[in-house]
Amino acid sequence: AYFHQRTFANHRLLSQARGQMALAKPGNFRWETQVPFKQLIIADGHQVWIADIELEQVTLQSQQATLKGAPAFFLGNSPKQFTHDYDVRRVVKSSKLCYQLLSRHRRAAFQSLTLCFQANHTLSDIQWVDHLSQQTQVALHHVKQNSALSPSLFVYKIPRGFDVIHQ
């Protein structure tokens, strides 16, 4: 899918980004930002690479620690893995079926997460409010479901000369 992401605080636009994303269960995730700067986040089920292309820097982290509680965690895992920590509510918004997850814990990565689907069950919108009350909206378009994805999409080869930070 292609995405357009906007983040707001106190109803003021803080940032915008555009790019592409891919998801393959279980736990494979690729988020490639093109605008305003190039960044690549890849998860392979075990670790996460966060590559800042202009800085020539890659951060390597454990996927379990990095994505737990992040919106990507909810897209790539079974509902059984997160219903323990979140209350799930079904809502309808503008003819879209949405599921809102509300955290049961004050220290969670976000207060709420909403996933909206079109009538054909295609994910179209992701919205979350973080612990600082910033709201992020991600609109997806040109979504392709159940297409064969190359496993190489979820592998990152660190370019020569990049600094590597292990966390």
Side-chain angles (χ1 to χ4, degrees):
Y2 291 89
F3 68 85
H4 180 203
Q5 177 178 323
R6 298 180 302 159
T7 301
F8 299 87
N10 298 320
H11 305 288
R12 279 190 51 225
L13 181 64
L14 296 179
S15 66
Q16 293 189 68
R18 292 182 187 272
Q20 298 179 34
M21 61 87 65
L23 174 69
K25 291 184 180 185
N28 293 309
F29 181 77
R30 180 183 183 98
W31 188 267
E32 188 170 357
T33 303
Q34 297 293 328
V35 176
F37 54 87
K38 292 185 178 190
Q39 183 185 52
L40 181 61
I41 301 170
I42 295 180
D44 69 356
H46 304 288
Q47 59 186 355
V48 176
W49 292 267
I50 303 170
D52 287 306
I53 308 307
E54 292 174 10
L55 296 177
E56 295 185 349
Q57 177 178 299
V58 176
T59 303
L60 260 164
Q61 301 173 339
S62 157
Q63 184 165 335
Q64 184 176 7
T66 303
L67 292 184
K68 185 168 173 100
F73 174 78
F74 298 95
L75 296 174
N77 288 293
S78 162
K80 292 178 185 177
Q81 291 183 292
F82 55 83
T83 53
H84 179 266
D85 296 322
Y86 298 89
D87 291 319
V88 181
R89 232 190 311 178
R90 187 176 168 168
V91 294
V92 176
K93 291 183 176 183
S94 321
S95 75
K96 294 179 183 180
L97 176 58
C98 301
Y99 294 93
Q100 185 177 45
L101 286 75
L102 300 169
S103 176
R104 294 180 183 164
H105 307 287
R106 286 187 305 196
R107 295 182 183 241
F110 59 86
Q111 297 170 6
S112 67
L113 169 72
T114 304
L115 304 170
C116 294
F117 299 84
Q118 296 175 348
N120 64 358
H121 307 289
T122 300
L123 182 64
S124 62
D125 300 279
I126 307 166
Q127 299 175 12
W128 64 90
V129 177
D130 68 19
H131 64 284
L132 299 173
S133 297
Q134 292 183 347
Q135 181 183 13
T136 300
Q137 301 171 346
V138 178
L140 300 175
H141 54 95
H142 295 80
V143 177
K144 294 180 185 174
Q145 294 187 122
N146 302 319
S147 56
L149 296 173
S150 170
S152 67
L153 281 174
F154 308 105
V155 175
Y156 187 70
K157 294 182 181 170
I158 300 170
R160 175 174 263 148
F162 272 47
D163 293 325
V164 180
I165 300 167
H166 294 273
Q167 291 187 339

